[in-house]
Amino acid sequence: MSDKGLGRRRVLTGGVAAALTASTATPAFAATGEPRAVTDGTPLRAAVLEFEDPWTKALGLAELLRQAGFDVIPLDLSLPATEQPQPVDLIAFGTFTNNSDDYLDYVADQAESLRQFVADHRVVLDMAQSDQYGAAVAYLPSGMAAVRTDADYDTIHPVAAGHPLVQGLRVSNGRLFTGRNASPRVSYETVQEWRSMQVLMACAADGFPPALLEGQFGAGRFLVTSLTVDKVRNSAGTATQPPAAVADSQAFFTALHGYVTSVRSGTAPAVRPTPMPPERPVGPMVGHTETDSALIWARPGLDPAAYARWNCAYRERKKNGSGKWHTVATRIDTDNDNTLIAPLRGLKPDTPYEFSLTPVKEAVGFTPMTGSFTTSPDPDRPAVVTMGMGSCAPSVPEPVWTKIMEEGCDSFVMLGDTPYVDSSDLKVARQKHRTFLVQPEISQMISSMPIWATWDDHDFGGNDFHGDYKSKRQNRTAFVNYRANPTYGQTADGQILRRRTDGEGVYTSFRRGPIEVFLLDPRWFSRTAPSWADPSQVTCLGTVQWDWLRRGLRKSTAPFKAIATGMVWDDKQNSEKDDWGTYSYEREAIFDFIATEKIPGCFLLGGDIHVSRALNYGPRVGYDLWQYIVSPLHDSTIPSLNVPSPYLVHSAVEPHVFLKLVADTTLAMPTLTATWINRDGERLFEVTRTAKDLGHTNYSRRRP
């Protein structure tokens, strides 16, 4: 769940008209059908589509343009761009307008008229952000492109410092627009890919990713931006940003007025397209790791035709740097989005290793992809495992990942919304995974410990999406491409899948020393068939996954067994249906199975709700059954979902939280300690349970 997952809304032109009415009065002009003069003193005119969106709760584009010297009218959505009722020099789409059908329908139907409009010494400014409703700017001419991705930034840097849209703006410590409130961020859904456009501003000092792009077509210009500088007031006209931020926005739109004037007169500087930087390598990522093996995943980013074959060298990591190197060969898999997996075998239990990935053919300037990990302890020997877990993660630089490493976690489980995909487009989904994994702190973490993952609604498809989602297979393909789990669900006839894209679901399980984790998939099968627990109801898990879970729980000898999903195991008590309260008949059947089979050591894990909680359901399975909810890793909390419950023991409405699980079987009575920690290292709360607490009635530690 996420505030980004709010559904699309239809925005009527009346909303735009209301925004304009709240501003100073606009003089009426009769449409003459004649070309606008450039130097006769006639004011420039802007046609605007904007609305107060459900995220920022703000607007301001029309008024800022008016203050900059434009006459402002609503964009008439019934007419082509070239046939507006009054002569227009600028068409401006406000922040998040592509969440409305009005925008999507207009740019689809009027793509050609928008190009004709620009070609005739005019400008289109597009501030629409939401990539899940159209990542690519659809109406750009052939050969020109701008594609958004789900990455938000708080920093903007000038790139083309001498450009008319940049040179007059206030710069503080090398950054633009520094006086704004934290919400909304200054850049939403930043552009990741472009062609034939010049980068004028960027979110980082190195010029990537872009925040403002300029493209030339005919005698006019397209401007595509991720900036939210139009959002400075509410619908009542009250400023929602500090005076310095309002002044920065006014300065930008004043510069825009001068820029449009120069485009109309043919004196605007020529556009010098900025080439895309070389594709960034993604990874390496340590995947599923056992006592004697490990999977190393990467997407090197080199041309797969020229660099198809790769070597992974690995050795035991010793303090003196000695150790014999071993090498395994692997290949780029073009069917899996040019990724590779190197299987390392013949390893020792509970032993640190280092590795290095290089192409067989020398690539000038390529830096080897290196990392390290520790294999799983022997399950029959006493051990301490420190496993991190989390859900609802950002796709921007974030120190919470560094704190996970500093806390000594030797492995990590992603519980869903990791990342937010919110798209039915396979290309977009793959790009979202790449954007997520290349963040510096995440990249460092995934190259230094084993990573396992399941998904929740936003990486499955979208907010509160279920198994009846028609485009789910595209996102499953992307998930399989960008993870190195031991398995990925099963085929319809129950065959285990290891790296195939034609399977059903993404559920899997793994054992790391004292802990076995069952990562369920409550999305893929939900609402697709009658329930195995109650045929009068729809299923959540599906019969194949239920049979798999029963087999796994029966044969598990792990002292501690985590049954994990992105969904919470009770009722969120809101209008959404993606929780185990909706499928209570299957939840209770799972609990009954554990109790009837007398399976010790079970506890529940959930995420999704942007609140962290610990609940004790009492002796529901023959011993106290606990649920640990950990959410979010990002900065957006939802206090309303911290609902009352007779089972609630602890809760915290806190951003940037992860769960640290320490399983210790070196003690006479093994313990499992769960600690909720924020990115500052603050302990929010903690729960410790012993093997006896979790139903082990005659536990005896096995010694070597």
Side-chain angles (χ1 to χ4, degrees):
M1 173 168 183
S2 168
D3 49 2
K4 282 193 173 185
L6 294 173
R8 263 173 57 186
R9 52 174 283 185
R10 183 151 187 95
V11 181
L12 304 177
T13 53
V16 179
L20 297 173
T21 303
S23 308
T24 56
T26 304
F29 291 88
T32 64
E34 299 175 355
R36 295 290 305 279
V38 177
T39 59
D40 64 357
T42 305
L44 297 176
R45 185 169 298 117
V48 175
L49 178 65
E50 72 167 332
F51 63 91
E52 181 182 301
D53 63 79
W55 296 274
T56 67
K57 306 292 186 185
L59 36 69
L61 178 58
E63 179 60 20
L64 286 163
L65 289 169
R66 193 185 322 282
Q67 291 172 359
F70 290 92
D71 285 333
V72 181
I73 62 172
L75 178 67
D76 190 329
L77 299 175
S78 68
L79 296 175
T82 52
E83 299 177 17
Q84 292 295 299
Q86 301 175 41
V88 171
D89 308 284
L90 170 72
I91 290 177
F93 299 109
T95 305
F96 288 115
T97 48
N98 66 342
N99 284 73
S100 84
D101 290 330
D102 288 338
Y103 171 95
L104 296 173
D105 293 344
Y106 190 80
V107 299
D109 296 341
Q110 299 299 332
E112 181 58 33
S113 77
L114 285 165
R115 292 191 285 267
Q116 292 175 1
F117 174 86
V118 166
D120 186 22
H121 292 88
R122 290 173 171 82
V123 177
V124 168
L125 169 65
D126 199 324
M127 309 185 78
Q129 268 93 355
S130 300
D131 61 323
Q132 61 265 47
Y133 301 134
V137 180
Y139 53 82
L140 295 178
S142 176
M144 186 184 298
V147 182
R148 302 181 186 278
T149 192
D150 189 26
D152 309 329
Y153 287 82
D154 292 319
T155 57
I156 301 297
H157 298 260
V159 176
H163 192 278
L165 288 172
V166 183
Q167 63 181 357
L169 303 183
R170 181 177 64 89
V171 180
S172 176
N173 295 321
R175 290 163 46 194
L176 302 167
F177 308 116
T178 56
R180 296 177 63 83
N181 291 330
S183 179
R185 285 176 166 160
V186 70
S187 173
Y188 271 113
E189 319 300 85
T190 306
V191 173
Q192 286 288 108
E193 300 178 26
W194 70 94
R195 290 196 309 274
S196 300
M197 303 191 84
Q198 182 176 1
V199 178
L200 306 182
M201 302 178 189
C203 298
D206 63 0
F208 183 88
L212 177 61
L213 287 161
E214 177 191 28
Q216 182 171 345
F217 184 64
R221 302 290 190 272
F222 288 102
L223 297 174
V224 176
T225 182
S226 59
L227 297 173
T228 62
V229 294
D230 60 328
K231 300 296 193 182
V232 296
R233 65 183 187 87
N234 59 27
S235 56
T238 303
T240 58
Q241 290 289 336
V246 175
D248 286 342
S249 293
Q250 291 170 335
F252 174 77
F253 286 99
T254 297
L256 178 66
H257 185 277
Y259 171 78
V260 174
T261 299
S262 68
V263 172
R264 293 291 282 135
S265 64
T267 61
V271 175
R272 296 178 174 83
T274 306
M276 278 277 293
E279 187 172 356
R280 300 169 71 181
V282 186
M285 176 169 62
V286 184
H288 176 60
T289 301
E290 299 184 6
T291 57
D292 60 354
S293 65
L295 299 177
I296 305 300
W297 175 98
R299 189 179 192 272
L302 298 181
D303 180 359
Y307 301 97
R309 297 189 298 135
W310 288 72
N311 287 327
C312 184
Y314 60 99
R315 70 177 180 179
E316 185 177 342
R317 192 176 67 220
K318 297 182 178 181
K319 292 182 179 179
N320 61 7
S322 65
K324 181 181 178 181
W325 286 98
H326 305 271
T327 301
V328 61
T330 188
R331 297 182 66 89
I332 295 289
D333 187 344
T334 55
D335 290 336
N336 281 289
D337 201 29
N338 301 326
T339 62
L340 62 81
I341 284 187
L344 312 187
R345 299 186 176 92
L347 310 181
K348 301 176 184 177
D350 203 13
T351 301
Y353 285 86
E354 58 185 329
F355 64 89
S356 177
L357 277 165
T358 54
V360 171
K361 176 184 175 182
E362 182 180 359
V364 177
F366 180 80
T367 302
M369 306 177 76
T370 61
S372 60
F373 62 93
T374 299
T375 49
S376 296
D378 186 332
D380 294 326
R381 297 174 66 90
V384 178
V385 163
T386 303
M387 186 178 294
M389 296 187 169
S391 68
C392 309
S395 290
V396 296
E398 171 51 56
V400 69
W401 307 103
T402 304
K403 182 57 63 176
I404 291 166
M405 292 181 283
E406 292 174 350
E407 283 289 338
C409 292
D410 56 43
S411 50
F412 193 82
V413 179
M414 296 183 180
L415 292 172
D417 294 345
T418 47
Y420 287 75
V421 172
D422 294 310
S423 175
S424 61
D425 187 301
L426 177 58
K427 182 178 179 180
V428 172
R430 285 169 163 168
Q431 180 62 60
K432 294 288 189 72
H433 281 280
R434 291 199 294 273
T435 300
F436 177 65
L437 294 176
V438 298
Q439 300 309 316
E441 297 88 350
I442 299 178
S443 183
Q444 184 181 1
M445 187 189 81
I446 65 176
S447 67
S448 63
M449 66 180 72
I451 304 296
W452 293 271
T454 186
W455 59 16
D456 199 40
D457 51 346
H458 291 281
D459 30 9
F460 172 75
N463 189 57
D464 198 23
F465 279 23
H466 304 263
D468 49 6
Y469 176 48
K470 294 181 180 179
S471 299
K472 64 184 180 181
R473 191 162 295 281
Q474 287 93 313
N475 285 347
R476 183 186 182 277
T477 296
F479 182 94
V480 170
N481 294 160
Y482 284 86
R483 294 293 180 266
N485 283 351
T487 57
Y488 305 89
Q490 297 171 266
T491 60
D493 60 1
Q495 296 298 307
I496 295 292
L497 289 171
R498 299 195 180 276
R499 193 149 180 83
R500 291 167 54 190
T501 57
D502 58 351
E504 306 294 321
V506 299
Y507 53 93
T508 191
S509 65
F510 66 92
R511 173 90 181 258
R512 188 166 178 85
I515 304 178
E516 185 158 5
V517 180
F518 295 87
L519 286 172
L520 304 187
D521 178 353
R523 300 286 172 181
W524 185 269
F525 298 100
S526 61
R527 301 186 182 180
T528 63
S531 171
W532 44 267
D534 181 351
S536 69
Q537 304 284 349
V538 293
T539 191
C540 177
L541 286 184
T543 301
V544 172
Q545 185 175 189
W546 168 232
D547 291 342
W548 165 86
L549 177 61
R550 286 190 295 174
R551 290 193 301 270
L553 287 173
R554 279 191 179 115
K555 72 178 184 181
S556 176
T557 60
F560 307 112
K561 305 172 185 67
I563 307 176
T565 73
M567 296 193 327
V568 294
W569 287 86
D570 34 26
D571 190 339
K572 288 192 292 189
Q573 298 183 31
N574 65 0
S575 61
E576 297 172 355
K577 299 300 182 183
D578 56 342
D579 55 46
W580 279 99
T582 300
Y583 305 100
S584 59
Y585 39 91
E586 293 196 359
R587 176 192 63 194
E588 297 307 312
I590 294 171
F591 296 169
D592 289 342
F593 173 78
I594 295 170
T596 301
E597 298 285 327
K598 295 182 170 56
I599 298 171
C602 294
F603 62 102
L604 310 174
L605 285 165
D608 179 55
I609 62 172
H610 300 199
V611 178
S612 292
R613 290 156 64 91
L615 301 98
N616 180 5
Y617 300 102
R620 174 64 180 84
V621 294
Y623 50 88
D624 282 357
L625 180 64
W626 283 76
Q627 179 186 191
Y628 303 150
I629 301 171
V630 55
S631 175
L633 285 158
H634 58 49
D635 63 358
S636 177
T637 60
I638 307 179
S640 63
L641 294 185
N642 191 27
V643 298
S645 170
Y647 309 113
L648 185 64
V649 180
H650 302 289
S651 69
V653 182
E654 180 83 11
H656 309 298
V657 177
F658 65 95
L659 184 69
K660 178 180 177 180
L661 275 179
V662 180
D664 188 348
T665 55
T666 66
L667 304 173
M669 178 55 69
T671 61
L672 178 70
T673 299
T675 310
W676 285 253
I677 304 172
N678 67 17
R679 69 178 180 184
D680 297 322
E682 179 185 356
R683 269 63 178 157
L684 306 180
F685 49 88
E686 185 171 277
V687 176
T688 297
R689 309 303 293 161
T690 67
K692 182 178 180 181
D693 294 332
L694 294 176
H696 290 278
T697 57
N698 59 348
Y699 187 90
S700 61
R701 188 183 68 193
R702 281 178 281 185
R703 298 183 179 274

